[in-house]
Amino acid sequence: KLCEKVIIQHIQSIYSSHEIIGEESSGSNQYILTDKPTWVLDPIDGTTNFVHKLSLSCVIVAFVLNKEVCVGVVYDPISDEMFWAIKGRGAFLQRFASSSSGDDATSTTNNLPIPIHVSSTKSISKALIATDPGYSRDVTEVTEYLAVQRELLLRNVRNIRTIGSTGLNMAYVSCGRLDASFEEGSWETNRGPKIWDIAAGSLLVLEAGGVTRDLNQSALPTDVPLDLLQRSNFCAATTGLAEEIMDCIKSGRLSKNTQD
């Protein structure tokens, strides 16, 4: 709460009339997104990692106008990496800590921002995918999650990661470290990411050349982009990969329903 308070105070000192949607201040309530200038923030994304002293958490800030994300920032204070994007101007990575890596997605010169881009991966067999089971341990939802994982494995996914931070998942997709990331959820089941988890990342992925999809659509695969007011996350490097993964999710759901 203190971290969020510091960010809010700074924003309000400059933009006193702007709306703010924060994880700590909004809590479990269903928020309302208007056309007004709105800041959306998560002071610590990857809270469980943070509590357990795993070096995988970040600060997420997004600026939304007319319900569209105009600016997105994901900052990893541990690696000192800042992923950011401005609508129509591309996505970038700025690393302030020294690095000897020669990888374009992780190295910088004089701390200058470098353009980032998603990978060119088009098939599951070559994809590194991040998923997350969330916090629900309801038997029906666990069964559905495992059914989808089973489909991915049976279709020879290269590998699966559970990083535990939606912000980092989406940032890593935007720079090619991951090829896709998804997490299912809904308001009805009260599970899945919320707007402060996905707003900034959605812009990062799009500006880096990737795609987002709305898993709350009844028919999958779909080309409907991520809905900020829903409780799911899906992003991928390419349309082809997105369709393959969504077909796995569809099959997993059908498999779960058959078991029921």
Side-chain angles (χ1 to χ4, degrees), residues 16-255:
S16 59
S17 64
H18 289 194
E19 303 277 324
I20 295 178
I21 300 176
E23 179 181 24
E24 299 299 330
S25 52
S26 297
S28 60
N29 297 324
Q30 190 163 355
Y31 35 78
I32 297 174
L33 182 64
T34 69
D35 290 333
K36 296 178 181 178
T38 303
W39 295 86
V40 181
L41 55 98
D42 187 345
I44 303 179
D45 179 55
T47 307
T48 300
N49 289 342
F50 184 80
V51 170
H52 286 267
K53 299 181 180 180
L54 290 173
S55 302
L56 291 166
S57 56
C58 62
V59 181
I60 309 175
V61 180
F63 176 68
V64 183
L65 181 63
N66 295 322
K67 298 187 178 69
E68 292 189 1
V69 185
C70 300
V71 178
V73 178
V74 174
Y75 175 60
D76 179 350
I78 300 166
S79 65
D80 213 4
E81 290 183 325
M82 183 168 70
F83 302 83
W84 56 275
I86 300 175
K87 185 179 179 181
R89 299 187 186 182
F92 303 87
L93 169 58
Q94 202 161 357
R95 185 167 187 177
F96 303 99
S98 61
S99 171
S100 59
S101 170
D103 184 353
D104 287 342
T106 57
S107 62
T108 59
T109 302
N110 297 325
N111 298 329
L112 295 175
I114 57 171
I116 54 177
H117 200 277
V118 296
S119 74
S120 58
T121 303
K122 298 179 181 179
S123 65
I124 285 179
S125 62
K126 296 182 179 180
L128 181 61
I129 301 172
T131 69
D132 200 296
Y135 292 101
S136 174
R137 300 299 179 260
D138 174 80
V139 63
T140 300
E141 293 163 11
V142 169
T143 300
E144 180 176 330
Y145 176 78
L146 293 176
V148 173
Q149 303 302 299
R150 180 177 183 274
E151 285 296 322
L152 287 171
L153 292 169
L154 291 177
R155 298 193 195 194
N156 297 315
V157 62
R158 183 171 186 178
N159 222 318
I160 300 171
R161 295 288 182 267
T162 302
I163 290 176
S165 165
T166 302
L168 291 181
N169 282 343
M170 300 183 83
Y172 289 173
V173 171
S174 71
C175 73
R177 295 176 187 173
L178 293 171
D179 300 301
S181 170
F182 70 89
E183 179 180 354
E184 297 186 79
S186 68
W187 284 106
E188 290 71 25
T189 60
N190 194 30
R191 67 185 181 104
K194 296 181 180 178
I195 187 171
W196 44 76
D197 298 306
I198 61 177
S202 66
L203 183 64
L204 276 170
V205 171
L206 293 175
E207 289 294 324
V211 299
T212 70
R213 295 292 185 260
D214 179 15
L215 294 182
N216 292 103
Q217 296 294 308
S218 57
L220 294 180
T222 180
D223 58 1
V224 177
L226 195 63
D227 186 340
L228 296 181
L229 294 179
Q230 293 296 334
R231 295 284 302 274
S232 69
N233 167 49
F234 184 100
C235 59
T238 63
T239 299
L241 179 59
E243 290 180 352
E244 281 196 30
I245 296 172
M246 284 187 288
D247 193 54
C248 282
I249 296 172
K250 176 183 177 181
S251 297
R253 289 176 178 177
L254 291 173
S255 175

